Amino acid sequence: MEPIQWNCMIAHGITAFSYFGIPTVIGVFFAKTKATIPSKFWPAFFLSGGFVLFCGFHHFLAIFEPHMAVSLLYLGVLDLMAFISLFALLYLMPTAYQIVEAIARYQEDNRELQRSQQMQQLFLDHGPFGAYIKDEKSRMLYYNQELQSIFSVDPQEWLGKMDSEFLSDIEEARRVMENDQIVLKTLRPLKLIEEVKIPGNDQPCYWLSFKFPFSDYATGDRRIGGISIDITESIETQRSLTDLNRQLEEKTLKLEAKKQELIYLSDMADMLYSCESEDEVYQVVALTCSKLFPNMSGSIYITANSKNYVQMNSIWGGEKISKEIFLQSECWALRRGKINLLSPRNSGLMCSHLIQPVSGVHLCVPLFGQGEVVGILHIYALAEISPEDQQITEIIARTLAFALNNISIKQHLTHDNLRDAMTQLFNQNYLQTITEQRLAEAERSAQPLSLIFLDIDNFKSYNSRYGHLTANIVLQGLAKLLLKSIRSFDIACRWGGEEFVIVMPNMTLETLRKRVEQLRVDVEQMQLKDGDQILENITASFGIAVSEPGITVKDFLNRADQAMLEAKRTGKNRVMEYVNTYN
């Protein structure tokens, strides 16, 4: 064959090889990268592939037609087409791989984006929070399943609607839309706590909401995104803690008030103990009441000696709301011996001594002295008098009555009535009175009270030997020794004749024995003179007894006296201790 024909066959062969190689290479690359062609490009892809394959088939058949006449122009075009086809195949091999790989990456990125969007959608739809998107006019564009479940609405029910169209509370809807506009104007996130009313729930819920602006990249419009978390339980817990703190503060204030009340009452008791007259007692009580009850008024009434009427002795607070003098029968507390409370809440008996018209709250508390009513403590308040204040008033009344009794005892026990004329020791009447008080104090403080009964041995013969005047010198000397030997708060008394009694509080039995034994020795060694005449020494027999709870003055003295008589019987000039044979 001629060279031209060979040239033509080779050119057709190269062109056919190139046409067949191009789709083959692209198919291999698609297979390696696992890329896929989108369905919308399938017709174009198949048509282009078919065109290339048919062109290759055409050139393949042209190889077997060597008899055809070939012009130089046709041959030149054919050679050029063969060169371009082969060059295209060689160039397409690396380039097609990159294109196909780019398509595969794009498809993978697209699938990853879809998975990410699906995860975001699942996160928003199934998260334990409310999520929504609104447009610039606060119209709802999206809301997640949590909101659908809370408000019992369909996925499409709120779309395109504003809050005022689906929220039942108009004021709540207005606040929500105002907050939306704040986010749009400031273009800054907004964090706030919203009170939300849920249909079917009487109690409001509280949400911690985050609102933020963003742009819709598809349209360029502004959007409002929001996420709300239910914090109702936290708010209720915080309120409970706040209530507990408030209650704790109130209780602390009450404890402080109680502490101050105890201080006032303690100071009152101390001052009453030091009072020397009834007027001082009234002043102390009035001062204490004005501190304890600053918003109340009051007065103290004491029964007159005739016991037919009572008279006001002290007043504090505002204006007078009761008569200054009135009959005992005009006060129900005096008549009944019980407190009488008159208030709007307690329709008690109205006392006749109250000045008309009667208003506010009136409390009359009787004062008891030596088993009988000696007066009243009257309290007046505009508001109710609490049970605690009533208890404090009763404590004041008892303390006042006790103080008045003490003053009365002091006034009756004058110096002449208290002392023995010859020895200047306390007498028998004072001994019985003071022993009764000391027994009560000992029982209240759980401390022992000791009693010493002593009698001079053989004093009748001593009196017969020296005479009555000289015997009196002995009694006076013994009294001086007793005063010198006892403590400042011990009480030494002359019981009668040659008998003496000493009252000693707060002393253990062992110490008492030592002290009395030393006193016996001091009496035995005491030197007595009548002028220049030295008198015979004396001795004494001692009996001691220690108090027990509930013991009376009479029994207490009898025990010490019995112990002294036992000392006499067993030899005199000795100390004997009372032994309770019943125990």
Side-chain angles (χ1 to χ4, degrees):
M1 286 189 290
E2 297 180 359
I4 293 176
Q5 291 177 342
W6 280 107
N7 189 337
C8 184
M9 292 175 61
I10 294 171
H12 278 296
I14 293 173
T15 303
F17 174 76
S18 299
Y19 276 125
F20 287 138
I22 289 173
T24 302
V25 169
I26 293 175
V28 171
F29 289 161
F30 267 98
K32 286 186 176 181
T33 58
K34 296 182 181 180
T36 59
I37 298 174
S39 58
K40 64 180 180 179
F41 297 128
W42 284 359
F45 177 78
F46 286 126
L47 288 175
S48 299
F51 171 75
V52 172
L53 289 175
F54 277 111
C55 287
F57 187 70
H58 166 73
H59 288 283
F60 179 74
L61 293 177
I63 297 174
F64 301 101
E65 296 178 355
H67 58 276
M68 292 179 60
V70 179
S71 65
L72 292 176
L73 178 61
Y74 177 79
L75 184 61
V77 172
L78 186 62
D79 289 342
L80 180 61
M81 185 170 53
F83 174 76
I84 292 174
S85 298
L86 181 61
F87 180 77
L89 175 61
L90 296 176
Y91 178 78
L92 185 62
M93 290 178 65
T95 305
Y97 180 76
Q98 295 176 0
I99 294 173
V100 174
E101 189 178 40
I103 294 174
R105 282 200 303 268
Y106 170 77
Q107 291 179 341
E108 182 63 28
D109 291 343
N110 191 38
R111 286 193 293 270
E112 187 65 30
L113 178 60
Q114 291 178 353
R115 285 196 298 269
S116 177
Q117 290 176 344
Q118 290 175 354
M119 293 298 292
Q120 293 177 6
Q121 190 69 32
L122 290 173
F123 174 77
L124 292 176
D125 282 341
H126 298 282
F129 51 80
Y132 55 87
I133 298 175
K134 300 179 184 177
D135 63 11
E136 294 179 338
K137 295 183 179 180
S138 293
R139 291 178 298 198
M140 193 69 71
L141 301 178
Y142 163 80
Y143 51 97
N144 69 346
Q145 293 182 8
E146 181 71 12
L147 290 178
Q148 298 171 25
S149 175
I150 292 175
F151 289 92
S152 301
V153 295
D154 297 332
Q156 305 295 324
E157 187 173 340
W158 282 2
L159 294 182
K161 295 182 180 180
M162 294 186 294
D163 297 271
S164 57
E165 298 180 61
F166 53 78
L167 290 180
S168 58
D169 191 331
I170 299 177
E171 182 63 24
E172 178 186 343
R174 184 187 62 80
R175 289 196 304 267
V176 172
M177 296 176 67
E178 286 180 353
N179 293 329
D180 292 345
Q181 294 304 312
I182 292 174
V183 173
L184 289 175
K185 288 180 181 179
T186 60
L187 295 180
R188 298 178 60 183
L190 180 64
K191 176 182 177 182
L192 70 159
I193 295 177
E194 295 179 309
E195 182 178 324
V196 182
K197 294 182 178 178
I198 307 299
N201 189 357
D202 297 334
Q203 299 297 326
C205 297
Y206 296 91
W207 288 358
L208 176 60
S209 297
F210 298 88
K211 297 186 176 184
F212 51 91
F214 67 96
S215 296
D216 187 343
Y217 295 111
T219 62
D221 296 332
R222 295 285 185 186
R223 297 288 184 253
I224 304 170
I227 293 179
S228 298
I229 302 173
D230 192 343
I231 58 170
T232 305
E233 185 176 351
S234 299
I235 292 293
E236 291 177 350
T237 302
Q238 185 178 3
R239 286 180 176 176
S240 299
L241 290 175
T242 302
D243 291 340
L244 288 175
N245 288 333
R246 178 180 53 80
Q247 294 174 9
L248 182 60
E249 290 176 359
E250 291 177 355
K251 289 184 178 180
T252 301
L253 291 176
K254 288 182 179 180
L255 289 176
E256 289 294 332
K258 289 294 182 184
K259 179 181 178 181
Q260 191 61 49
E261 289 174 357
L262 291 175
I263 292 175
Y264 289 149
L265 292 174
S266 177
D267 291 343
M268 181 188 72
D270 290 340
M271 289 187 288
L272 289 177
Y273 185 78
S274 303
C275 289
E276 296 293 338
S277 65
E278 290 185 359
D279 290 338
E280 290 180 351
V281 170
Y282 303 142
Q283 292 175 9
V284 169
V285 173
L287 176 63
T288 303
C289 289
S290 64
K291 292 179 179 179
L292 288 171
F293 314 121
N295 299 323
M296 303 181 191
S297 303
S299 52
I300 300 173
Y301 292 87
I302 300 299
T303 305
N305 293 332
S306 62
K307 298 185 178 181
N308 293 326
Y309 65 92
V310 291
Q311 183 174 0
M312 182 186 295
N313 289 76
S314 181
I315 186 173
W316 67 90
E319 60 182 354
K320 295 180 181 179
I321 36 77
S322 176
K323 300 177 184 177
E324 293 189 10
I325 300 176
F326 56 86
L327 299 174
Q328 287 190 352
S329 59
E330 295 185 72
C331 179
W332 284 101
L334 287 172
R335 293 166 63 177
R336 300 168 62 220
K338 298 180 180 179
I339 64 170
N340 185 63
L341 177 63
L342 177 65
S343 70
R345 294 184 181 179
N346 183 15
S347 56
L349 300 169
M350 182 181 296
C351 296
S352 301
H353 62 84
L354 301 178
I355 298 176
Q356 299 292 334
V358 178
S359 62
V361 181
H362 296 266
L363 178 65
C364 294
V365 184
L367 306 177
F368 288 94
Q370 298 180 350
E372 61 179 358
V373 180
V374 298
I376 62 167
L377 175 63
H378 176 232
I379 301 293
Y380 166 72
L382 294 174
E384 287 290 336
I385 300 177
S386 65
E388 292 80 6
D389 288 341
Q390 293 182 35
Q391 293 178 356
I392 293 175
T393 306
E394 293 184 58
I395 293 174
I396 294 174
R398 289 196 296 268
T399 308
L400 171 59
F402 183 75
L404 292 175
N405 287 338
N406 284 343
I407 294 296
S408 177
I409 292 174
K410 289 181 181 179
Q411 290 176 347
H412 285 87
L413 297 178
T414 60
H415 183 273
D416 293 338
N417 293 327
L418 300 179
R419 301 285 179 175
D420 174 64
M422 183 175 61
T423 61
Q424 294 302 308
L425 297 179
F426 290 107
N427 59 22
Q428 186 177 134
N429 291 332
Y430 179 77
L431 172 68
Q432 293 178 332
T433 302
I434 195 63
T435 303
E436 183 176 2
Q437 291 185 3
R438 292 296 171 85
L439 280 174
E441 293 173 357
E443 188 167 349
R444 186 168 57 252
S445 62
Q447 295 291 333
L449 181 68
S450 303
L451 196 67
I452 305 169
F453 210 116
L454 66 98
D455 183 87
I456 301 175
D457 296 329
N458 304 317
F459 191 69
K460 289 184 179 179
S461 60
Y462 195 92
N463 196 11
S464 300
R465 178 178 177 184
Y466 290 106
H468 291 290
L469 295 179
T470 301
N472 288 341
I473 294 175
V474 174
L475 295 176
Q476 292 172 351
L478 179 57
K480 292 179 181 180
L481 176 64
L482 294 179
L483 291 175
K484 182 180 178 181
S485 302
I486 64 176
R487 299 168 297 182
S488 60
F489 50 85
D490 295 335
I491 306 296
C493 303
R494 185 185 180 194
W495 182 253
E498 66 273 20
E499 295 177 327
F500 297 83
V501 178
I502 304 173
V503 180
M504 288 186 168
N506 302 334
M507 183 177 292
T508 63
L509 183 58
E510 182 179 356
T511 304
L512 177 65
R513 291 168 179 163
K514 293 179 180 179
R515 293 289 296 274
V516 178
E517 179 60 28
Q518 182 61 47
L519 181 58
R520 184 195 65 78
V521 174
D522 292 342
V523 172
E524 186 178 18
Q525 295 177 354
M526 181 177 59
Q527 292 185 356
L528 301 171
K529 290 184 179 180
D530 183 7
D532 295 334
Q533 182 184 6
I534 297 177
L535 303 177
E536 181 183 350
N537 291 352
I538 62 171
T539 62
S541 298
F542 294 80
I544 59 176
V546 179
S547 65
E548 296 177 356
I551 192 171
T552 63
V553 175
K554 181 179 178 181
D555 291 340
F556 198 21
L557 288 169
N558 284 337
R559 290 184 177 185
D561 185 36
Q562 291 177 24
M564 183 271 294
L565 293 176
E566 183 64 18
K568 289 276 191 184
R569 189 184 65 81
T570 55
K572 302 179 181 179
N573 190 23
R574 63 186 58 198
V575 179
M576 295 296 294
E577 176 186 343
Y578 172 79
V579 178
N580 191 346
T581 57
Y582 294 100
N583 292 332

